[in-house]
Amino acid sequence: MDQFRQPIGTRAGATGAGRRIYDLLRGQIADGTLPPGAPAPSTRALAAELAVSRTTVTAAYEQLAAEGFLVTSAGRAARVASALSAPAPATAAGTPRLASCLPLSRFGRRLADIGMPAFSDAEPLRFDFRYGAVASRDFPTLAWRRAYQAELLRQQDGLCYAAPEGDPALRRALQGYLRRARGLACEPGQIVVVNGSQQAIDLCARLLLDAGDAFALEDPGYLMARCCFEATGATCLPTPVDEHGLDTARLPQDERVRLAYVTPSHQFPLGGVLPVGRRMELLQWAQRHDAWIVEDDYDGEFRYGQRPIDTLQSIDTDGRVIYVGTLSKALSPQLRLGYLVLPAELVPVFRQAKRLADRHAPVLEQRVLASLIESGAYERHVRRMRRENERRRAALLDGIARFLPADAQVSGTAAGLHVVLWLPSLRPRDEAALAAAARKKDVGVYPLSPLFAMQRSQDRPRPPGLVLGYASLTTAQILEGMRILGTIIAATAA
Amino acid sequence: MDQFRQPIGTRAGATGAGRRIYDLLRGQIADGTLPPGAPAPSTRALAAELAVSRTTVTAAYEQLAAEGFLVTSAGRAARVASALSAPAPATAAGTPRLASCLPLSRFGRRLADIGMPAFSDAEPLRFDFRYGAVASRDFPTLAWRRAYQAELLRQQDGLCYAAPEGDPALRRALQGYLRRARGLACEPGQIVVVNGSQQAIDLCARLLLDAGDAFALEDPGYLMARCCFEATGATCLPTPVDEHGLDTARLPQDERVRLAYVTPSHQFPLGGVLPVGRRMELLQWAQRHDAWIVEDDYDGEFRYGQRPIDTLQSIDTDGRVIYVGTLSKALSPQLRLGYLVLPAELVPVFRQAKRLADRHAPVLEQRVLASLIESGAYERHVRRMRRENERRRAALLDGIARFLPADAQVSGTAAGLHVVLWLPSLRPRDEAALAAAARKKDVGVYPLSPLFAMQRSQDRPRPPGLVLGYASLTTAQILEGMRILGTIIAATAA
């Protein structure tokens, strides 16, 4: 509490001379020229010697004293502090300890063993059917910029931490959007805004799973969700998928199961739409096992032909379904905006977890999105994107029909921003080779196998498959990409 | 489930705990909290919640089943007796299960018990000395808007997920900034961009602590860090703080300790600057205990008088210090931008954890910040803010001298954006009353006591204290706020 008697701060750092004096003495203390307890040169002598003002020297001494290198007391010459024993010689300094020797948590150690898909920030290829990418020219740049400027200038009061569950205006806007677009009825109070669906999944993993528990996952399914859940130490129980999505008859009866992660509106990656009968079976299964259901509606906005199917949450009467929505597909995966619609009883603990995780989502972006939804600009944009992607999908199917083998088949064309291409004329092991060969020709196609948790046994043999995302490409790129792929397949099959 | 095939020896009535569980369930069935057909709480969750053995819970369930209140069968969770086989009627949807019966993870259940400071999104008061708030008029709106527009229009290729560790340009810019402003030498490869220091702390908690471990925390200290670390199930070992910061002589010798969280450049909340001697002792302590040090440099940009003191990480020769930086003080807490500077060996696992947590920080904001740092605009802004806050600090000290009792003392004026005000003329219990009375007069002041983990024993009595943040106020508001506070103190002391 002696801060009132602070030295008159005459900025040691401000003058080059002061800085030189500071460095000189720190150097001499470090190399032992000035050993612990030794008196520092008198300020008068040093000032004369270096031809600088005594004030400058004094300021440098004050800095050194403030940092504990010098001990000063009224009327006595400054001395080098005595408690300056350096830490034990750092043999370990440059040489990192082996990861296996690092004192990490069990979670930290598990991360090393999780088969997470390698992240590549390589430039997109010329004809890149990378799933999850969207075209930057599709982004509503002008509307977003206008709204962002408005919100930036609207920043009024003191800027302090905002509500963990998200901006109230955005949560109201999302409630309306979900009712209009997805037939999902909820209260704003059930909505928690997060940094993309990945954080929604991570919060579910942290709050609902423990090591020793188990979770049901679609097989094939979404790898990043599987990694999140497995990182808790829980066991993955892969549940087979057919053309209608999750095969609910084969849901695990394991008593350890606490949660099922599903993509009912457009199964990832195979694209099936879960029929209502299976939805009821899934809900009954969850009730029997007292399990949660995480419903990831990752591209529910993009449905061609029929009206979007009702969400699982809409028919859940038992408060077990956690709905996950994202803006990554309709706007941009780089925004990192998504949301949860929670059973009322889960809201407090998710709110608390979001607050501990990172306090809240960025406020400006939340308000920009809220204003775009309120003005109707967001839904106009989504409709435009749906038409845009329907054109791309048509071009893809056209290109496949024109350039690929006649027995090539496609799954998951009813919705979403990708399809799965099956190539019965090739051998399963050709999958990776094909993708590699395509890459050499600037075409990005992605093998299906890594998305399977179980390597399929003889009872369900399958041809090689490729995941083809088309949301970031022009129809011309799509056609040319398929033409090139056709030539590669011909060469591979030969 | 096999717990229903337990030996019938343990009758529910036999033990008091079993009896209470039996009564709880019968009560909930009677009042409809558990409607017909609803699942009974999982024995696992209930046993954990009530801190009784699972056998005890199981015995109570057997009793209820024997009496026909519950229906149980092998391979199925127990349900309340009923004829229904469809999901429970919609009336059950509204009635949330008791939180104690929710199947949550251990982490989820711990969150409920953590004494997190209540979040308030109440409008700031007219004279609000709320710590952590900054003035929106200080935000470099024009520069930010220009840079944001430029980056928005620069969005080129397909928009796909970006690197988990953060934008390369921002990491290069931060490296240069840290070297210039904090004398911290690191490689861009050691930097991971996160959503504010809160996410940095949460990642440290998840990756470095397990239930049963222990961590050292400054006492008084930063509550949100304490909550994050305690949520892992680790034990907090409060370490006393004096006017020079952490009292390293009193660091715990407990062998469970894995980590110490410290704020050496400006101890939160007392404001001491850790002298280099103690920094060495802290590093030696960490080496002896093979513990990590989390150095939170939450307001290191704001130091008045002397040059900023070197960071712990700069003198760490053993790769144990994790440096945490934030943009919340110099720009805005609503941006949610911060960063970690990691020992090289920790980079891969933090990168992986950030990717699972939310893939990466928003890309546009990262690039905007990078361009502001590269152009020098950011450091000009920080210098402006330092002058601005030095004026506010002077006004605060002036107001305290003019309007508060002569024996009032202030800690932590050498740096940062807040001070601690000590009022020896008041009784400790007046702290909360004073804050409440001030609130009625539109003045926000914040009691110190909640930031103490240990209530201090006689050996270190302390007068009541208030935390006063000043970064969001004008000098006029600060003076008027102190004038009003003076009148309230006079009334309280009388």
Side-chain angles (χ1 to χ4, degrees):
Chain A
M1 293 184 225
D2 50 4
Q3 273 77 353
F4 276 136
R5 286 184 260 97
Q6 214 179 64
I8 327 304
T10 44
R11 296 179 178 53
T15 84
R19 174 77 214 205
R20 278 199 304 282
I21 294 164
Y22 171 90
D23 292 339
L24 171 74
L25 269 75
R26 267 201 67 166
Q28 292 183 345
I29 292 167
D31 63 26
T33 313
L34 286 173
S42 90
T43 53
R44 174 178 292 117
L46 199 54
E49 183 181 332
L50 301 174
V52 297
S53 81
R54 197 169 163 189
T55 329
T56 306
V57 179
T58 314
Y61 275 34
E62 279 167 358
Q63 177 75 33
L64 288 159
E67 297 182 10
F69 290 99
L70 293 184
V71 181
T72 58
S73 51
R76 306 244 324 270
R79 315 183 136 274
V80 177
S82 44
L84 287 187
S85 46
T91 50
T95 62
R97 286 164 286 181
L98 294 175
S100 59
C101 314
L102 283 178
L104 296 178
S105 67
R106 284 185 283 275
F107 173 78
R109 290 196 301 273
R110 278 192 297 264
L111 282 193
D113 306 332
I114 286 179
M116 216 184 298
F119 172 79
S120 145
D121 47 8
E123 282 298 298
L125 300 168
R126 183 136 170 256
F127 310 100
D128 202 335
F129 294 83
R130 187 192 301 193
Y131 170 72
V134 304
S136 41
R137 69 191 164 286
D138 286 351
F139 187 83
T141 303
L142 293 182
W144 186 271
R145 187 176 68 180
R146 254 196 311 277
Y148 190 90
Q149 286 191 31
E151 294 303 331
L152 195 54
L153 298 171
R154 195 170 292 143
Q155 290 195 122
Q156 291 289 9
D157 333 286
L159 299 168
C160 39
Y161 295 115
E165 63 271 24
D167 184 68
L170 176 56
R171 290 157 70 229
R172 279 194 307 275
L174 284 170
Q175 176 203 28
Y177 169 75
L178 287 168
R179 195 183 57 250
R180 292 188 300 274
R182 307 293 290 117
L184 190 160
C186 69
E187 293 303 315
Q190 291 174 257
I191 297 176
V192 172
V193 179
V194 292
N195 309 334
S197 58
Q198 188 65 37
Q199 184 174 49
I201 293 166
D202 187 47
L203 290 176
C204 290
R206 296 176 77 175
L207 290 172
L208 307 178
L209 289 177
D210 277 317
D213 293 341
F215 61 96
L217 191 82
E218 298 163 330
D219 188 28
Y222 184 43
L223 257 181
M224 288 296 282
R226 181 183 171 190
C227 293
C228 254
F229 295 133
E230 283 184 330
T232 65
T235 303
C236 180
L237 304 173
T239 309
V241 164
D242 62 22
E243 65 274 26
H244 302 299
L246 184 73
D247 183 350
T248 45
R250 300 178 64 171
L251 276 162
Q253 299 308 319
D254 189 315
E255 75 172 46
R256 297 169 306 161
V257 75
R258 321 290 312 124
L259 175 152
Y261 170 87
V262 293
T263 54
S265 63
H266 184 233
Q267 199 274 331
F268 184 82
L270 296 190
V273 178
L274 200 65
V276 130
R278 288 193 183 184
R279 290 176 189 239
M280 297 306 283
E281 282 166 22
L282 177 58
L283 290 168
Q284 287 162 20
W285 170 88
Q287 196 174 67
R288 280 201 306 279
H289 292 274
D290 195 18
W292 300 103
I293 296 173
V294 179
E295 172 180 30
D296 190 344
D297 198 16
Y298 67 106
D299 61 8
E301 303 91 342
F302 296 99
R303 187 154 176 78
Y304 315 114
Q306 307 95 309
R307 192 177 52 71
I309 193 160
D310 284 348
T311 63
L312 262 181
Q313 174 144 45
S314 309
I315 57 172
D316 171 30
T317 56
D318 195 33
R320 302 188 169 280
V321 175
I322 297 165
Y323 177 91
V324 176
T326 180
L327 280 303
S328 295
K329 305 292 182 285
L331 286 173
S332 163
Q334 301 190 344
L335 278 181
R336 313 309 309 128
L337 279 176
Y339 49 91
L340 290 146
V341 182
L342 295 158
E345 61 197 351
L346 281 183
V347 170
V349 71
F350 271 80
R351 185 178 182 276
Q352 189 98 311
K354 171 61 179 172
R355 189 173 173 209
L356 275 190
D358 57 13
R359 290 219 182 234
H360 59 77
V363 170
L364 276 170
E365 289 69 20
Q366 291 190 70
R367 296 201 173 141
V368 170
L369 178 59
S371 74
L372 291 183
I373 295 176
E374 285 159 2
S375 71
Y378 176 72
E379 272 150 277
R380 282 194 302 278
H381 168 72
V382 168
R383 282 194 295 275
R384 196 160 53 243
M385 286 307 93
R386 196 179 293 129
R387 287 193 301 272
E388 201 52 52
N389 284 302
E390 191 152 12
R391 271 192 286 274
R392 292 176 174 128
R393 162 175 155 279
L396 181 61
L397 298 182
D398 178 33
I400 290 171
R402 278 163 60 185
F403 301 117
L404 301 197
D407 63 354
Q409 293 173 327
V410 180
S411 305
T413 61
L417 303 172
H418 76 280
V419 301
V420 169
L421 172 70
W422 302 98
L423 297 166
S425 57
L426 301 188
R427 297 149 303 184
R429 71 161 189 276
D430 292 334
E431 235 183 47
L434 189 59
R439 214 168 178 71
K440 290 207 186 70
K441 299 224 182 289
D442 229 354
V443 176
V445 294
Y446 299 87
L448 185 62
S449 300
L451 305 185
F452 280 94
M454 305 183 290
Q455 276 320 312
R456 291 312 181 79
S457 49
Q458 296 76 328
D459 69 316
R460 313 177 106 232
R462 58 173 182 85
L466 297 174
V467 181
L468 304 179
Y470 50 79
S472 69
L473 300 172
T474 63
T475 53
Q477 285 173 310
I478 290 169
L479 283 169
E480 178 61 7
M482 285 302 106
R483 193 191 60 73
I484 298 171
L485 186 62
T487 63
I488 298 167
I489 291 174
T492 313
Chain B
M1 290 193 220
D2 55 8
Q3 71 259 33
F4 290 108
R5 298 190 225 90
Q6 305 258 352
I8 312 298
T10 55
R11 303 301 300 169
T15 81
R19 183 81 226 175
R20 280 198 306 281
I21 294 165
Y22 173 91
D23 292 339
L24 170 74
L25 272 284
R26 274 204 66 166
Q28 292 182 359
I29 292 167
D31 67 21
T33 307
L34 287 174
S42 93
T43 54
R44 175 205 312 259
L46 202 54
E49 176 62 25
L50 304 175
V52 300
S53 80
R54 203 164 164 184
T55 322
T56 307
V57 178
T58 308
Y61 277 37
E62 284 171 2
Q63 182 67 31
L64 288 158
E67 297 176 15
F69 290 100
L70 292 183
V71 177
T72 66
S73 56
R76 296 186 157 207
R79 281 176 298 124
V80 177
S82 101
L84 297 173
S85 57
T91 55
T95 62
R97 289 165 284 181
L98 297 178
S100 63
C101 302
L102 283 178
L104 296 178
S105 67
R106 284 185 285 273
F107 173 78
R109 289 196 302 272
R110 277 191 298 263
L111 282 193
D113 306 332
I114 285 179
M116 215 183 300
F119 172 79
S120 145
D121 47 8
E123 281 298 296
L125 301 168
R126 184 136 169 257
F127 310 100
D128 202 334
F129 294 83
R130 186 191 302 193
Y131 170 73
V134 304
S136 40
R137 67 191 165 286
D138 285 352
F139 187 82
T141 302
L142 294 183
W144 186 272
R145 187 176 69 180
R146 255 197 310 276
Y148 190 91
Q149 287 190 31
E151 294 303 331
L152 195 54
L153 297 171
R154 194 169 293 143
Q155 290 195 122
Q156 293 288 10
D157 333 285
L159 298 168
C160 39
Y161 295 114
E165 64 271 24
D167 184 68
L170 177 56
R171 290 156 70 229
R172 278 193 306 274
L174 284 170
Q175 175 204 29
Y177 169 74
L178 287 167
R179 196 184 56 248
R180 292 189 298 275
R182 307 293 289 119
L184 190 159
C186 69
E187 294 302 316
Q190 292 173 257
I191 297 176
V192 172
V193 179
V194 292
N195 309 334
S197 56
Q198 188 65 36
Q199 185 174 47
I201 292 166
D202 187 46
L203 290 176
C204 290
R206 296 177 75 176
L207 291 172
L208 307 177
L209 289 177
D210 277 316
D213 292 343
F215 61 96
L217 190 84
E218 297 163 330
D219 188 29
Y222 183 44
L223 256 181
M224 288 295 283
R226 182 183 170 191
C227 293
C228 253
F229 295 132
E230 282 185 331
T232 65
T235 304
C236 180
L237 303 173
T239 308
V241 164
D242 61 23
E243 65 272 28
H244 301 300
L246 184 72
D247 183 350
T248 46
R250 301 177 63 172
L251 275 162
Q253 300 309 318
D254 190 314
E255 77 286 344
R256 296 170 306 162
V257 75
R258 321 289 314 119
L259 175 152
Y261 170 86
V262 293
T263 54
S265 63
H266 184 232
Q267 199 275 330
F268 184 81
L270 296 190
V273 178
L274 200 65
V276 77
R278 288 192 182 183
R279 291 176 187 239
M280 295 297 190
E281 282 163 19
L282 177 57
L283 290 168
Q284 288 159 11
W285 170 88
Q287 200 172 57
R288 277 200 308 281
H289 292 274
D290 195 19
W292 300 103
I293 297 173
V294 179
E295 172 181 31
D296 190 343
D297 198 15
Y298 67 105
D299 62 6
E301 303 92 342
F302 297 98
R303 185 155 175 78
Y304 315 115
Q306 289 96 358
R307 228 166 9 77
I309 197 164
D310 286 347
T311 63
L312 260 182
Q313 173 144 38
S314 309
I315 56 173
D316 170 29
T317 56
D318 195 32
R320 302 189 170 281
V321 176
I322 296 166
Y323 176 91
V324 175
T326 179
L327 279 303
S328 295
K329 305 293 181 287
L331 286 172
S332 164
Q334 301 190 344
L335 279 180
R336 314 309 308 129
L337 279 176
Y339 49 92
L340 290 146
V341 182
L342 295 159
E345 60 197 352
L346 282 183
V347 171
V349 72
F350 272 79
R351 185 177 181 277
Q352 189 97 311
K354 170 63 179 172
R355 189 175 172 207
L356 275 190
D358 57 14
R359 290 214 181 238
H360 58 77
V363 170
L364 276 169
E365 289 69 19
Q366 291 190 70
R367 295 203 175 141
V368 170
L369 178 59
S371 74
L372 291 183
I373 296 176
E374 284 159 1
S375 70
Y378 177 71
E379 271 151 279
R380 281 194 302 277
H381 168 72
V382 167
R383 280 195 295 276
R384 197 161 52 244
M385 286 308 93
R386 196 180 293 127
R387 286 194 300 274
E388 201 50 53
N389 284 303
E390 191 154 11
R391 271 193 286 276
R392 294 177 172 127
R393 160 176 159 277
L396 181 61
L397 299 183
D398 177 33
I400 290 170
R402 279 164 59 186
F403 301 118
L404 300 198
D407 63 354
Q409 290 179 307
V410 180
S411 301
T413 61
L417 303 173
H418 76 281
V419 301
V420 169
L421 172 70
W422 303 96
L423 297 165
S425 57
L426 301 188
R427 298 150 303 183
R429 71 162 187 277
D430 293 333
E431 235 183 47
L434 188 59
R439 209 164 183 76
K440 290 207 185 71
K441 296 221 183 293
D442 229 355
V443 176
V445 294
Y446 299 88
L448 185 62
S449 299
L451 306 184
F452 279 94
M454 306 184 289
Q455 275 320 312
R456 293 312 182 78
S457 49
Q458 297 75 325
D459 68 316
R460 315 178 103 232
R462 58 175 182 85
L466 297 173
V467 181
L468 303 179
Y470 50 80
S472 69
L473 300 172
T474 64
T475 52
Q477 285 173 310
I478 290 169
L479 283 170
E480 179 60 7
M482 285 303 104
R483 193 192 60 73
I484 298 171
L485 186 63
T487 63
I488 297 166
I489 291 174
T492 313

